Amino acid sequence: MIPSESLKRLLYGRFLHYTHLTEQMFSSEIDGFAELAREHGISSFPNSMTSVHVIDCIGNNEPINNVSIAEKMNLSKASITKISTKLLQEGYIKRSQLNDNKKEVYFSLSFKGKRIFEVHALMHEQIERNFISLMSSFTEAELQASLKFFQMMIDQGDSFMKGDDKAGTSEEGQVGG
């Protein structure tokens, strides 16, 4: 059975509403992180979630250089250089060089950075628990349909970001996000 156009339009409306809510949640994410950090006795932390995510990337891959951080985070090398310079100045990360390559700079977390890394991991654990709890009311088929939807939206977003001319429409000609 083919879903009705009105159901597709309703889903699109809900999707748009969700994207707007997601924007608002991301813009207030640093406030939630700051609150959690304070609860764990941390009074000094980066002022942007991108910086926290750079700390997370370094913590998960140390030692790591700017180019690798940029690739893993899909950010420009210039952005990572700017962020890592600030994190270095603020004492969240340390720089080093490998014995066989004195030109290349690698980053690892300082004690202060490890505390931020740990609180960030706790925050994501809480978010994951809440998400999984919400999904408990879904049937296996509903979860599979949700997964298919999110994968399609990710594929559309990836195509759009890569400048693919076909981004925004699927094979059936339906508008994507």
Side-chain angles (χ1 to χ4, degrees):
M1 184 174 130
I2 298 174
S4 69
E5 286 300 311
S6 61
L7 183 57
K8 290 176 186 176
R9 290 185 193 288
L10 177 62
L11 182 58
Y12 180 69
R14 296 285 192 242
F15 172 72
L16 285 180
H17 186 153
Y18 175 74
T19 58
H20 296 298
L21 286 174
T22 300
E23 272 184 49
Q24 292 170 359
M25 289 185 315
F26 283 143
S27 68
S28 67
E29 185 180 21
I30 191 68
D31 297 333
F33 177 80
E35 185 178 324
L36 189 60
R38 282 189 210 95
E39 287 173 13
H40 285 83
I42 300 172
S43 57
S44 172
F45 38 82
N47 63 356
S48 79
M49 284 311 295
T50 303
S51 294
V52 173
H53 289 139
V54 169
I55 289 172
D56 186 67
C57 183
I58 293 169
N60 283 313
N61 300 283
E62 60 187 347
I64 186 171
N65 63 18
N66 269 355
V67 172
S68 295
I69 296 169
E71 288 171 358
K72 288 182 182 300
M73 294 188 66
N74 288 322
L75 293 172
S76 71
K77 186 177 178 290
S79 293
I80 297 301
T81 298
K82 183 177 176 184
I83 293 167
S84 61
T85 298
K86 187 167 172 117
L87 291 173
L88 201 62
Q89 290 170 348
E90 294 173 348
Y92 295 107
I93 61 175
K94 303 179 289 188
R95 59 186 287 159
S96 62
Q97 296 168 313
L98 300 181
N99 289 337
D100 58 341
N101 185 351
K102 295 293 183 189
K103 251 172 86 174
E104 189 112 36
V105 174
Y106 288 86
F107 297 104
S108 58
L109 298 180
S110 65
F111 175 76
K112 190 175 171 181
K114 285 179 183 169
R115 296 201 60 214
I116 298 299
F117 176 77
E118 290 164 0
V119 170
H120 182 254
L122 287 174
M123 184 178 86
H124 277 278
E125 287 171 15
Q126 288 175 351
I127 293 168
E128 182 179 11
R129 276 194 308 273
N130 290 342
F131 184 86
I132 289 171
S133 176
L134 286 171
M135 296 293 106
S136 296
S137 65
F138 282 56
T139 65
E140 187 76 20
E142 289 170 330
L143 289 171
Q144 289 293 337
S146 298
L147 183 61
K148 181 179 178 181
F149 172 76
F150 276 110
Q151 189 58 56
M152 179 199 67
M153 296 310 297
I154 289 167
D155 293 345
Q156 290 292 312
D158 284 344
S159 292
F160 178 79
M161 295 307 291
K162 291 176 185 164
D164 186 348
D165 290 341
K166 295 178 184 173
T169 59
S170 66
E171 291 173 2
E172 293 84 30
Q174 297 297 319
V175 173

